[in-house]
Amino acid sequence: MENKTLIFDAHLDLAMNALEWNRDLRWPVEEIRKSEEGMTDKPDRAKGTVSLPAMREGHIGVCVATQIGRYVKRGNNLPGWKSPQQAWAQTQGQLAWYKAMEEAGEMVQIRTCNDLERHLRLWENPLGNAPVGYILSLEGADSIISMRHLEQSYNYGLRAIGPAHYGPGTYAHGTDSTGGLGIKGRELIKEIERLGIILDATHLCDESFRETMDLYHGPVWASHNNCRVFVPHNRQFSDEQITELINRDAVIGIALDAWMMVPDWIRGKSDPKSMDVTLKQMINNIDHICQLAGNSLHAGIGSDLDGAFGKEQCPYDLETIADLQKVPDLLYEIGYTQSDIQNIMSGNWIRFLKNNLGNQL
Ligand SMILES: [Zn+2]
């Protein structure tokens, strides 16, 4: 299978898998699964789909990789750390894992346009063990103790940030909560803009999305966010929100979490086969964004694979992340041209980064 398309996946929680799931992502997926047989501490044990070898196999040569640490206030039932300081420490451990993967030659951090161009040249003809490139992102900003910590994060390479995750956060309201930014959120947004960090609109509730768009003038994308027209839920974008993002030259990554792909999914009960969850829904979401845009310049992949769910909650025609290589053919089948397909599989994210990364360290 030569002539694989380069794929850019804009949302992978790699370090979270390494540190909270205790997965050595240098192993093949099959071995990671085998090592987890019989474990019941998490619903996706022995069902993971992501590893660095699988990414290489699928030519997923570049990704946005996250740090993630949620802080939950007393009385809140969401899983998370009891203080922002603990959440910060968690993200610093995750950073240390990415650095260790760089030292091992497995990954390489992309901070500047030059880094990106060098890495893309490497992947034009990748050797079997080519490092996977990553742009560092923070999913949910609760671990940012103060604006000094945000600047420190930029200095170690943070290039994208989502102000919120699930529930009410320190800076913004996320999925399944309602409310705006508040004083702290406004301060954060302004600092994101000053530093030139990409703002990730994913997970913002409608009100926080509205206020963020009004306040922020810097580059915005949505790394992993599907369309509300298919699954009516506040986690998904309305057509109006998608159109606004398109008008701001954003790229929107389509995710493969089953509950965001088909309506009425019940976590822990529904099954991908009986609910007919396949890569087809990813294609429908991509196509919807392209139809709203009138072109193929704003849709991409942000799979979120192994973002705390595995094969039990993702398309059943995908065994590992390498099967993202099926997406180009599926797009071709519904009439997308080779250049459209290239835009969607990697070109849009790459263009966005070339426009917005700069060459400052
Ligand atoms: Zn997410």
Side-chain angles (χ1 to χ4, degrees), residues 11 13 68 139 165-166 202-203 224 235 304:
H11 191 80
D13 299 316
I68 178 166
E139 180 164 27
H165 192 219
Y166 278 83
T202 306
H203 283 294
H224 60 303
R235 170 73 180 82
D304 202 11

Side-chain angles (χ1 to χ4, degrees), residues 150-217:
L150 185 64
E151 186 158 8
Q152 192 181 331
S153 302
Y154 179 81
N155 289 336
Y156 64 63
L158 188 79
R159 290 295 178 269
I161 184 169
H165 192 219
Y166 278 83
T170 302
Y171 299 103
H173 283 80
T175 302
D176 290 334
S177 67
T178 49
L181 295 173
I183 293 166
K184 281 188 159 186
R186 288 173 179 275
E187 187 190 13
L188 179 87
I189 300 293
K190 281 294 161 199
E191 189 65 2
I192 293 171
E193 185 173 320
R194 185 184 74 81
L195 290 166
I197 301 176
I198 296 157
L199 191 139
D200 190 341
T202 306
H203 283 294
L204 288 171
C205 77
D206 288 354
E207 200 176 337
S208 285
F209 178 92
R210 179 71 267 133
E211 288 188 13
T212 300
M213 291 300 133
D214 289 345
L215 185 65
Y216 182 71
H217 307 289

Side-chain angles (χ1 to χ4, degrees), residues 15-239:
M16 181 188 87
N17 277 271
L19 297 192
E20 290 181 57
W21 270 248
N22 192 8
R23 290 172 170 164
D24 187 345
L25 296 180
R26 294 173 300 179
W27 298 5
V29 165
E30 208 180 313
E31 264 179 60
I32 296 173
R33 285 187 190 163
K34 219 180 280 168
S35 75
E36 296 180 357
E37 274 167 18
M39 292 175 76
T40 54
D41 60 324
K42 297 181 190 293
D44 58 331
R45 282 300 186 192
K47 295 181 189 115
T49 64
V50 177
S51 77
L52 292 164
M55 288 178 75
R56 287 192 192 96
E57 186 196 336
H59 270 222
I60 301 137
V62 208
C63 67
V64 178
T66 64
Q67 295 173 294
I68 178 166
R70 184 164 46 213
Y71 155 53
V72 286
K73 292 189 181 141
R74 239 178 263 203
N76 188 323
N77 290 332
L78 284 166
W81 298 101
K82 298 279 193 281
S83 69
Q85 286 77 8
Q86 286 165 281
W88 168 259
Q90 179 70 12
T91 64
Q92 298 314 291
Q94 292 164 345
L95 175 67
W97 179 79
Y98 288 118
K99 292 292 149 195
M101 286 301 100
E102 289 188 59
E103 280 167 31
E106 296 276 343
M107 297 182 75
V108 62
Q109 190 179 28
I110 293 166
R111 300 178 183 215
T112 65
C113 266
N114 288 342
D115 292 347
L116 180 61
E117 275 161 16
R118 192 181 318 123
H119 186 69
L120 292 174
R121 277 197 298 275
L122 178 71
W123 272 84
E124 277 168 18
N125 271 308
L127 299 170
N129 59 354
V132 171
Y134 74 101
I135 290 95
L136 190 65
S137 173
L138 179 66
E139 180 164 27
D142 289 2
S143 58
I144 298 295
I145 302 169
S146 72
M147 293 309 107
R148 189 175 58 76
H149 293 81
L150 185 64
E151 186 158 8
Q152 192 181 331
S153 302
Y154 179 81
N155 289 336
Y156 64 63
L158 188 79
R159 290 295 178 269
I161 184 169
H165 192 219
Y166 278 83
T170 302
Y171 299 103
H173 283 80
T175 302
D176 290 334
S177 67
T178 49
L181 295 173
I183 293 166
K184 281 188 159 186
R186 288 173 179 275
E187 187 190 13
L188 179 87
I189 300 293
K190 281 294 161 199
E191 189 65 2
I192 293 171
E193 185 173 320
R194 185 184 74 81
L195 290 166
I197 301 176
I198 296 157
L199 191 139
D200 190 341
T202 306
H203 283 294
L204 288 171
C205 77
D206 288 354
E207 200 176 337
S208 285
F209 178 92
R210 179 71 267 133
E211 288 188 13
T212 300
M213 291 300 133
D214 289 345
L215 185 65
Y216 182 71
H217 307 289
V220 56
W221 71 20
S223 62
H224 60 303
N225 215 116
N226 294 358
C227 306
R228 202 172 288 180
V229 70
F230 300 116
V231 178
H233 190 281
N234 67 74
R235 170 73 180 82
Q236 317 271 97
F237 282 143
S238 67
D239 284 2

Side-chain angles (χ1 to χ4, degrees), residues 251-309:
V251 181
I252 302 163
I254 301 307
L256 291 173
D257 193 339
W259 82 265
M260 290 160 57
M261 302 176 71
V262 291
D264 306 320
W265 178 273
I266 304 166
R267 241 177 253 267
K269 289 217 166 81
S270 299
D271 152 77
K273 256 216 164 114
S274 59
M275 297 290 278
D276 198 30
V277 180
T278 69
L279 291 168
K280 181 79 181 120
Q281 282 101 17
M282 172 177 257
I283 304 301
N284 292 344
N285 275 273
I286 290 171
D287 187 53
H288 186 69
I289 291 167
C290 293
Q291 298 303 336
L292 288 175
N295 59 50
S296 64
L297 296 171
H298 300 279
I301 308 282
S303 78
D304 202 11
L305 286 169
D306 295 22
F309 62 95

